[in-house]
Amino acid sequence: MANSSQEVEEKRGSKDFVTGALIGSFVGAAVALLLAPKSGKELREDIGEQVSTIRGKADGWRELASEKGNIIVSTANEKSKQVRNLAVEKGEQLRVKGAQIKENVKLKAQQFSKKSSNEAGMEEGVSSEEADTVVE
């Protein structure tokens, strides 16, 4: 279980890093463009190029996040199937064991009942065959 929570923390740290890198690059590019001594036309062209670059990177990260999400979903589905199958298997084992215990208890109760009847019959002078007939 510790391994699973460690993986979650690592993924969360990776997400935070990517988010920080994206915001940092955007802010840095905007500040550099705004503080650079250029004409309005050159500045607009540079801003357009930077926006295109950032969009390209964002698309790449979006695709990567989508792929990672699909992998996580598929892994979660596989693990849930494994857990479900294990639960069904263990449930069936318990059902069979319960049925065996029930049969054992039933047989012991019948044996005890016959033994008690036989002992009671012997005390009253009844033969064991007659006692068996009474029990049945």
Side-chain angles (χ1 to χ4, degrees):
M1 198 67 169
N3 190 19
S4 177
S5 64
Q6 184 180 12
E7 289 175 5
V8 169
E9 287 298 321
E10 288 176 5
K11 290 176 184 173
R12 186 174 296 144
S14 297
K15 176 184 162 201
D16 292 344
F17 175 77
V18 169
T19 302
L22 180 62
I23 292 171
S25 65
F26 180 71
V27 170
V31 168
L33 288 173
L34 294 174
L35 296 178
K38 296 183 179 182
S39 69
K41 183 178 181 182
E42 289 175 338
L43 183 58
R44 285 189 299 273
E45 287 174 359
D46 285 349
I47 289 173
E49 289 174 12
Q50 290 297 323
V51 168
S52 295
T53 301
I54 290 171
R55 280 186 185 157
K57 286 181 182 179
D59 286 343
W61 287 337
R62 181 187 50 79
E63 289 175 16
L64 179 63
S66 177
E67 289 173 10
K68 294 288 183 178
N70 289 337
I71 290 170
I72 290 169
V73 166
S74 123
T75 301
N77 285 338
E78 181 62 32
K79 293 293 180 184
S80 67
K81 285 178 186 176
Q82 290 174 356
V83 168
R84 180 188 170 280
N85 289 340
L86 182 62
V88 167
E89 180 182 317
K90 293 295 180 183
E92 181 61 21
Q93 289 174 357
L94 286 173
R95 187 193 65 74
V96 168
K97 182 114 177 152
Q100 290 172 345
I101 290 171
K102 178 182 173 185
E103 284 299 314
N104 287 341
V105 167
K106 187 176 177 181
L107 288 173
K108 293 289 183 182
Q110 288 174 349
Q111 290 172 353
F112 181 75
S113 176
K114 283 184 180 181
K115 183 177 179 183
S116 296
S117 296
N118 287 341
E119 288 176 359
M122 298 254 182
E123 289 176 5
E124 296 177 7
V126 178
S127 71
S128 65
E129 292 170 355
E130 292 172 340
D132 286 342
T133 306
V134 170
V135 171
E136 293 173 358

